[in-house]
Each structure stands twice: as structure tokens, then as C-alpha cells.
């Protein structure tokens, strides 16, 4: 059968949920500052569930977000903490790879506030430089537009590690990025920057299949990891939102989610996992189904 890379599930959202703290615009960064051991515990739980990759808790560790609360001087320290906790979890587990997460600048799902390319390149390059020594690969996440993709990939120009690009698509039309641009137009980005893999993330699982149909012909390893929100609400698209503005689905248990993923694999996906609200129990179920179907998890 097929070799499948099994990603972890929700990192930031899982950390916040376990902390018992109220959500803040800094999201899981706030928890990591006070409870760094919680980050390690989440990574280890995913490894034990069957994931072979730990995605660092650096999605929201950006200078622009930290500057809102006067913590921009802590940027490098927080990146180091996030990487150290992922590495510690891998050491405890005994195997696995580390994917350094590069989340959107400004805010998720907001291509309208994306910075100019030169500014984005500089911001991402500083994170890549800090995380490169211990990262096995870089995972650019929740890309909402071609502009966002270009800026992030420009920021990864100096790394020799693999760079995976993950885009987020419209909740109701998986053929479109959240900017309204066609997923097909990613072909020009692929041609120009040659990322090592192309993924769809943080989108409703119902929207993923249509996106994968357009990504598959681009010739890269591809896959997906969906979220478990009902949809991205208007409230979350306001300035400095918190995840309190988003609603968790009640109809996406481990078996339900695994059914979507197995369909993506039938479409040719070889990199799968989960995003927000998809937890260790989902990854456990997915690992079991992959093995039962004769796939090899790598």
C-alpha cells in the first residue's frame, strides 16, 4: 500500500483547552509563557497517538502579535522555548521529526491585512533563522492568498530544509482560497518556489476534497489536515480576535474525521493529520485505520 506521513493534530488550540485559561489574542503563546511543560505534554501525546511529526507551537509567535502587548523583545526566547519543548517530546518518545510552524502574519484568514512582500520576507526569515538548527522541515500554515504564500516562501529562501506550504480554503467552496483566488493558481507559486509539499489546512473537512483535486496535478506530494470548527465566523475576522469567536463541531468525532481523511488518501494524499479541534483521540483512530488498511506510517 502507501507510505503515509501522519501529522499531529491541533497544537495551539489543544494547549489552550488543556490550560483551563481564558483565550487571549496571544492564544497558546500565553500558555507557553506560563506553562511550557504543557506544550511538551501535547507533543508527546500526539507522538504516542501515532503521529510521526511534532509541529512547533510557533504558529502565533510573531513580532507583530507580541508588539500589541509589549512583548516583542521576547520573540527569540519564545521561539526557543517552543522548539525546545518539541525536541524534548521527541526525545522522550524516541523518534519523530520536528516541523517548524510558520503561521500567518497579522491574523489568520485575513489576506486583506497581509504586509508587503519585503516586510513579510524579513519577518519570516528571522523566524526561519532562529528555528533552522533544530527543525527537520518548515511548515507554512493557513495561507489565505497567493500574496501570503509568496511572502512566506520568500522568507524561507535561505533554509536548506524542506518547506511545506499549507493553504486554507473557503468553507463552502474548496476550489477557492479564502482570498477568493483559485486554488489552481497555486501552480505559479509551485513553479517559482518549488516547495517540497503542498497541503490544505484549517478548513472544513467537507471543503478539502475539491481543493485536493486541483492540487494533485501540480506534481508535489500533497495532503491535508482540516479543522473542527463549524465555520470561520465573522467575529473571528475582527481585529485581535480570540478563539472564543469560533464554535467547535459536535459531529466530528474520531471515526467521522478519519472517514474524511481516508477519502483524501484515496485521492492520492500522502501527508495527513488534523488542525484546530482535532485532538490526540482523532490521530489515534486515524493511525489505527491507516494500519488496518495496510498503509505504512512514516
Amino acid at each position: 500500500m502507501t507510505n503515509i506521513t501522519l501529522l499531529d493534530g491541533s497544537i495551539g488550540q489543544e494547549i489552550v483547552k488543556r490550560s483551563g485559561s481564558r483565550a487571549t489574542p496571544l492564544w497558546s503563546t500565553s500558555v507557553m509563557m506560563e506553562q511550557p511543560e504543557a506544550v511538551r505534554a501535547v507533543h508527546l501525546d500526539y507522538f504516542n497517538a501515532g503521529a510521526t511529526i511534532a509541529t512547533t507551537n510557533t504558529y502565533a509567535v510573531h513580532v507583530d502579535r507580541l508588539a500589541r502587548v509589549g512583548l516583542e523583545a521576547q520573540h527569540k526566547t519564545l521561539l526557543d522555548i517552543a522548539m525546545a519543548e518539541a525536541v524534548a517530546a521527541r526525545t522522550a518518545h524516541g523518534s519523530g521529526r520536528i516541523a517548524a510552524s510558520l503561521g500567518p502574519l497579522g491574523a489568520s484568514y485575513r489576506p486583506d491585512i497581509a504586509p508587503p512582500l519585503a516586510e513579510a520576507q524579513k519577518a519570516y526569515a528571522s523566524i526561519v533563522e532562529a528555528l533552522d538548527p533544530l527543525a527537520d522541515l518548515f511548515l507554512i500554515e493557513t495561507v489565505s492568498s497567493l500574496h501570503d504564500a509568496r511572502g512566506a516562501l520568500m522568507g524561507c529562501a535561505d533554509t536548506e530544509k524542506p518547506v511545506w506550504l499549507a493553504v486554507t480554503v473557503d468553507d463552502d467552496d474548496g476550489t477557492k482560497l479564502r482570498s477568493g483566488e483559485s486554488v489552481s493558481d497555486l501552480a505559479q507559486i509551485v513553479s517559482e518556489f518549488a516547495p517540497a509539499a503542498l497541503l490544505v489546512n484549517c478548513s472544513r473537512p467537507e471543503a478539502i476534497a475539491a481543493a485536493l483535486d486541483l492540487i494533485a496535478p501540480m506534481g508535489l506530494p500533497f495532503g491535508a489536515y482540516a479543522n473542527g470548527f463549524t465555520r470561520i465566523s465573522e467575529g473571528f475576522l475582527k481585529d485581535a480576535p480570540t478563539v472564543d469567536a469560533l464554535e467547535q463541531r459536535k459531529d466530528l468525532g474520531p471515526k467521522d474525521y478519519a472517514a474524511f481523511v481516508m477519502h483524501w488518501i484515496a485521492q492520492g494524499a500522502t501527508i495527513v493529520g488534523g488542525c484546530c479541534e482535532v485532538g490526540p483521540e482523532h490521530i489515534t483512530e486515524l493511525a489505527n485505520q491507516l494500519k488496518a488498511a495496510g498503509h505504512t506510517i512514516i
Side-chain angles (χ1 to χ4, degrees):
M1 296 295 284
T2 308
N3 289 338
I4 302 294
T5 298
L6 183 54
L7 304 170
D8 45 21
S10 169
I11 297 297
Q13 185 71 347
E14 185 73 13
I15 291 167
V16 170
K17 288 172 68 174
R18 293 188 187 193
S19 73
S21 303
R22 184 171 179 80
T24 74
L26 283 182
W27 199 38
S28 56
T29 307
S30 301
V31 180
M32 185 168 68
M33 292 171 67
E34 300 173 1
Q35 306 173 46
E37 68 282 358
V39 179
R40 185 184 314 187
V42 168
H43 288 313
L44 188 55
D45 282 354
Y46 281 120
F47 276 136
N48 290 335
T52 57
I53 288 183
T55 307
T56 60
N57 185 46
T58 51
Y59 179 95
V61 184
H62 286 298
V63 170
D64 62 355
R65 302 192 189 199
L66 295 170
R68 296 170 187 163
V69 290
L71 291 175
E72 60 267 37
Q74 298 297 311
H75 186 232
K76 177 62 164 57
T77 298
L78 290 167
L79 292 174
D80 288 344
I81 291 171
M83 179 58 77
E85 295 302 328
V87 170
R90 177 177 63 183
T91 299
H93 181 65
S95 64
R97 288 183 287 169
I98 306 296
S101 173
L102 302 174
L105 298 171
S108 298
Y109 325 115
R110 292 291 305 275
D112 57 308
I113 61 171
L117 289 177
E119 184 179 329
Q121 179 181 19
K122 182 179 179 180
Y124 282 116
S126 69
I127 300 173
V128 170
E129 181 181 11
L131 299 179
D132 194 79
L134 295 175
D136 293 300
L137 62 101
F138 285 90
L139 179 55
I140 303 170
E141 300 195 88
T142 322
V143 170
S144 297
S145 71
L146 299 178
H147 176 92
D148 289 351
R150 187 176 300 277
L153 287 164
M154 287 169 61
C156 294
D158 291 336
T159 184
E160 296 183 357
K161 305 289 176 64
V163 178
W164 295 358
L165 177 67
V167 302
T168 179
V169 297
D170 185 275
D171 283 330
D172 300 311
D173 183 355
T175 69
K176 296 179 180 179
L177 302 177
R178 293 194 185 270
S179 61
E181 297 163 303
S182 174
V183 170
S184 296
D185 291 338
L186 288 167
Q188 60 188 281
I189 297 292
V190 168
S191 176
E192 183 175 351
F193 292 96
L198 190 54
L199 310 170
V200 183
N201 85 299
C202 216
S203 309
R204 283 167 50 87
E206 288 86 351
I208 299 288
L212 294 185
D213 280 341
L214 299 180
I215 284 172
M218 296 182 193
L220 296 177
F222 68 92
Y225 52 115
N227 68 34
F229 295 130
T230 55
R231 65 187 306 107
I232 302 306
S233 68
E234 290 299 319
F236 194 79
L237 299 179
K238 297 178 180 179
D239 292 339
T242 72
V243 292
D244 287 341
L246 300 174
E247 181 183 355
Q248 180 181 5
R249 291 174 63 161
K250 302 295 191 284
D251 61 344
L252 202 64
K255 291 186 183 297
D256 303 296
Y257 185 74
F260 281 108
V261 177
M262 297 306 285
H263 178 74
W264 305 334
I265 291 171
Q267 290 179 270
T270 58
I271 306 169
V272 296
C275 205
C276 302
E277 303 294 358
V278 176
E281 65 279 7
H282 294 82
I283 301 304
T284 297
E285 175 64 26
L286 185 51
N288 290 338
Q289 290 202 24
L290 288 171
K291 293 172 185 175
H295 299 295
T296 299
I297 298 173
I298 61 171

